[in-house]
């Protein structure tokens, strides 16, 4: 005969209280098992309260973990470090009660920079971000940034590592400061503050540490994303600049293009591009941003008195000068202050390993460039330097083609091109313009008597003598044989006559002295034409001056005459 087995409860082991919530039977059985031996003479009511407290803590932990999971998802979607900081202060509020939260990034070499802030009580509600900035090792936040260890501070005023933020009052507060670490490196700091003492506990520290780990990963991800976007922008800038530069072989236009792209890329107010003339120890201004700035600056300046500029050119180093830096070069600071600027950044223009010029970028306000931004500027400058050097080589080749090889004056073809340009300039600016046509007297006799080699030396000497009487803005050309043409911009008829008289006087006072021969007197005849009275095109002006020249020749030479003078007589 068999019998069905039934569980038997000993009299000393009471059954479960019907008043207990058994919606979590497994949890309660474990808790009952753990607590039964320790209950002793305690009542069921006290055990129930303990179990309820444990259950409440467990549910709170589950809620906190759920918040952390949500925060992790938000952090993973953050596309910038500022968005990461904002997420941290908002999500922290859901699991830790604070009065003030700050999120910082550590920026080389020693800056701890705030990216997010939230204040909820009184003086905590509004604080200037610039006041929150500190250095590594400075205050609680700087200490954590330096050591990479969290701090739970029950009384901030009694801890010697603390430092009151300038411009704020010293108050009783407790703090929680946790590092954001990525691959063993502290990349940021989360700082919580609360009025009064003992505002945070070990559980708060544990939760904030977990959140900080997620935030550190999100910061690095956001930085990589931002850097990728910046790289794309930089490549686009380089391509745009290269495309524009390739369309010009004019060195001044190339310089203007360079200045504009560099100014926009670096966020400066002004930018100058200069060419380094090593032989004369000076830099020559080529182009500026804004473009009209080139009209307001010196065409060149000697670099001997500016050691920092020389360091850029000779050592190919980047130099940044702050007018408010007491250790900055006095000469450079004086120029900055006079022009109303604060920052000057100088970069060399390097082509084929040689410094060929200088980039100067000016800002009226303080600017901070990281290593990546400065590297972009150097890359753009080097790319542009090649284009500038190509343009100058092309211009040098053009000059050779435009020059008379014997005298170094411009040739007949270039003269007519330039005359057309000068006439247009005079028309637009309503400014005078004159032309001189000059012919050596009795030069055929010199050639026939002493030979063509002697005649060439006379032509070379005559060219140098003429050049010595001209202004920098004047242009001289060999028109053919022993005939020369001189373009005198911004010169009216009376001034042109004075210029002709200076040349004639120079010929009278300085005879040519050849090898193994005594002085040979050389004279000249000059015809003068002035725009617009004597002609409205380059061809008309040259023809009018030439006609006046031959009128002088017919009269015996050694003189000058203006076009139309013989008709008036």
């Amino acid at each position: 005969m068999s019998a069905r087995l039934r569980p038997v409860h000993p009299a000393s082991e009471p059954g479960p209280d019907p008043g207990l919530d058994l919606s979590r039977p497994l949890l309660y059985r474990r808790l009952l098992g753990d607590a039964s031996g320790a209950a002793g003479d305690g009542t069921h009511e006290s055990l129930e309260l303990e179990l309820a407290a444990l259950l409440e803590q467990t549910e709170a932990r589950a809620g906190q973990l759920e918040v952390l999971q949500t925060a992790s998802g938000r952090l993973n979607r953050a596309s910038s470090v500022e968005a990461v900081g904002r997420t941290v202060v908002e999500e922290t509020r859901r699991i830790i009660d604070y009065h003030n939260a700050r999120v910082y990034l550590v920026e080389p070499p020693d800056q701890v920079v705030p990216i997010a802030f939230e204040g909820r009580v009184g003086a905590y509600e509004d604080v200037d971000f610039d006041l929150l900035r500190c250095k590594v090792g400075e205050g609680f936040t700087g200490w954590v940034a330096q050591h990479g260890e969290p701090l739970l501070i029950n009384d901030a005023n009694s801890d010697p590592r603390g430092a009151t933020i300038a411009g704020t009052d010293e108050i009783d507060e407790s703090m929680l400061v946790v590092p954001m670490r990525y691959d063993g490196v502290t990349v940021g700091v989360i700082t919580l503050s609360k009025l009064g003492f003992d505002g945070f506990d070990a559980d708060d520290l544990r939760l904030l540490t977990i959140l900080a780990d997620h935030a550190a990963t999100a910061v690095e991800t956001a930085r990589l994303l931002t850097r990728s976007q910046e790289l794309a922008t930089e490549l686009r800038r380089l391509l745009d600049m290269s495309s524009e530069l390739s369309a010009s072989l004019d060195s001044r236009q190339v310089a203007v293009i360079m200045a504009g792209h560099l100014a926009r890329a670096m966020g400066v107010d002004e930018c100058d591009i200069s060419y380094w003339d090593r032989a004369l120890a000076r830099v020559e201004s080529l182009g500026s941003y804004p473009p009209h700035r080139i009209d307001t600056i010196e065409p060149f300046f000697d670099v001997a008195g500016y050691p920092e500029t020389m360091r850029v050119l000779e050592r190919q180093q980047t130099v940044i000068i702050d007018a408010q830096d007491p250790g900055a070069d006095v000469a450079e600071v004086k120029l900055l202050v006079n022009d109303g600027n604060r920052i000057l950044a100088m970069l060399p223009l390097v082509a084929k390993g040689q410094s060929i010029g200088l980039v100067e970028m000016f800002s009226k306000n303080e600017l901070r460039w990281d290593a990546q931004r400065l590297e972009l500027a150097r890359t753009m400058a080097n790319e542009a330097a090649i284009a500038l050097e190509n343009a100058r080589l092309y211009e040098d080749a053009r000059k050779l083609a435009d020059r008379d090889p014997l005298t170094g004056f411009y040739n007949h073809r270039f003269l007519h091109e330039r005359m057309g340009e000068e006439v247009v300039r005079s028309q637009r600016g309503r400014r005078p313009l004159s032309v001189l046509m000059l012919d050596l007297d009795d030069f055929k006799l010199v050639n026939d008597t002493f030979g063509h080699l002697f005649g060439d030396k006379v032509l070379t000497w005559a060219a140098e003598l003429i050049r010595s009487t001209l202004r920098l803005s004047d242009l001289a050309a060999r028109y053919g044989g022993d005939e020369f043409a001189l373009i005198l911009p911004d010169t009216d008829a009376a001034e042109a006559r004075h210029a002709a008289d200076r040349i004639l006087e120079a010929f009278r006072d300085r005879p040519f002295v050849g090898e193994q021969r005594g002085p040979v007197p050389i004279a000249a005849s000059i015809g003068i034409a002035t725009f617009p009275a004597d002609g409205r095109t380059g061809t008309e002006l040259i023809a009018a001056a030439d006609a006046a020249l031959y009128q002088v020749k017919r009269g015996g030479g050694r003189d000058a005459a203006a076009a139309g003078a013989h008709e008036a007589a």
Side-chain angles (χ1 to χ4, degrees), residues 107 113 129 154 167 176 242-243 254 267 273 277 301 316 319-320 329 422 451 460 477 495 516 524 529 568-569:
E107 294 184 355
V113 181
F129 260 42
N154 293 320
L176 197 57
S242 296
S243 176
V254 166
I273 306 296
D277 189 330
F301 69 88
Q316 298 182 0
V319 170
I320 299 176
D329 181 76
E422 291 297 332
T460 303
E495 292 167 333
Q516 300 178 348

Side-chain angles (χ1 to χ4, degrees), residues 242-254:
S242 296
S243 176
E244 279 195 69
L245 291 174
S246 65
S248 176
L249 282 172
D250 181 295
S251 61
R252 295 190 177 275
Q253 185 177 5
V254 166

Side-chain angles (χ1 to χ4, degrees), residues 24 43 49 92 100 113 125 262 367 400 418 460 490 498 524-525:
R24 305 176 188 268
T43 63
L49 290 174
T92 300
N100 173 277
V113 181
E125 291 181 358
L262 279 163
L367 287 176
L400 290 174
R418 188 59 177 267
T460 303
D490 299 318
H498 288 314
S525 299

